[in-house]
């Protein structure tokens, strides 16, 4: 992996705890640009629970590619603003 290249993760089959009032608004699948070269299931799971402020029963995580951070320092994924 290049210095400015990071994992692209596909999180699928997310089974959220059923006690959430707006369960239908929580994602079942998503792609995530991980901002560290290394990742593990525990880290991604913790991030997901914090991001959506809810717990889940199970999920599947696969690295499906990489993404490249651009030369722009104003946002993690780079942009055309510079």
């Amino acid at each position: 992996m290049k210095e400015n290249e990071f994992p692209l993760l596909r999180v699928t089959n997310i089974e959220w705890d059923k006690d959430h009032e707006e369960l239908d608004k929580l994602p079942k699948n998503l792609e995530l640009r991980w901002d560290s070269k290394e990742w593990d299931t525990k880290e991604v799971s913790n991030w997901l629970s914090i991001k959506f402020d809810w717990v889940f029963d199970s999920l599947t995580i696969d690295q499906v590619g990489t993404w490249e951070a651009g030369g722009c320092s104003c946002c993690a994924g780079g942009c055309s603003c510079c």
Side-chain angles (χ1 to χ4, degrees):
M1 215 180 305
K2 298 177 194 173
E3 184 179 325
N4 63 338
E5 213 171 41
F6 300 93
L8 177 64
L9 306 178
R10 181 173 293 142
V11 183
T12 58
N13 304 316
I14 305 169
E15 293 293 328
W16 297 98
D17 182 80
K18 306 290 187 232
D19 289 337
H20 197 285
E21 290 177 9
E22 297 181 6
L23 186 63
D24 58 328
K25 292 185 178 180
L26 295 171
K28 300 281 187 206
N29 306 294
L30 59 94
E31 283 197 355
L32 175 61
R33 288 180 169 191
W34 198 247
D35 64 356
S36 174
K37 299 238 183 237
E38 302 295 322
W39 66 274
D40 63 34
T41 301
K42 184 178 179 179
E43 282 181 306
V44 176
S45 298
N46 287 340
W47 178 89
L48 190 67
S49 290
I50 291 167
K51 170 73 175 165
F52 293 100
D53 195 26
W54 201 249
V55 295
F56 57 89
D57 297 322
S58 64
L59 55 68
T60 303
I61 306 169
D62 296 299
Q63 184 169 335
V64 294
T66 59
W67 67 278
E68 230 175 274
C72 173
S73 62
C74 68
C75 53
C79 62
S80 60
C81 67
C82 300

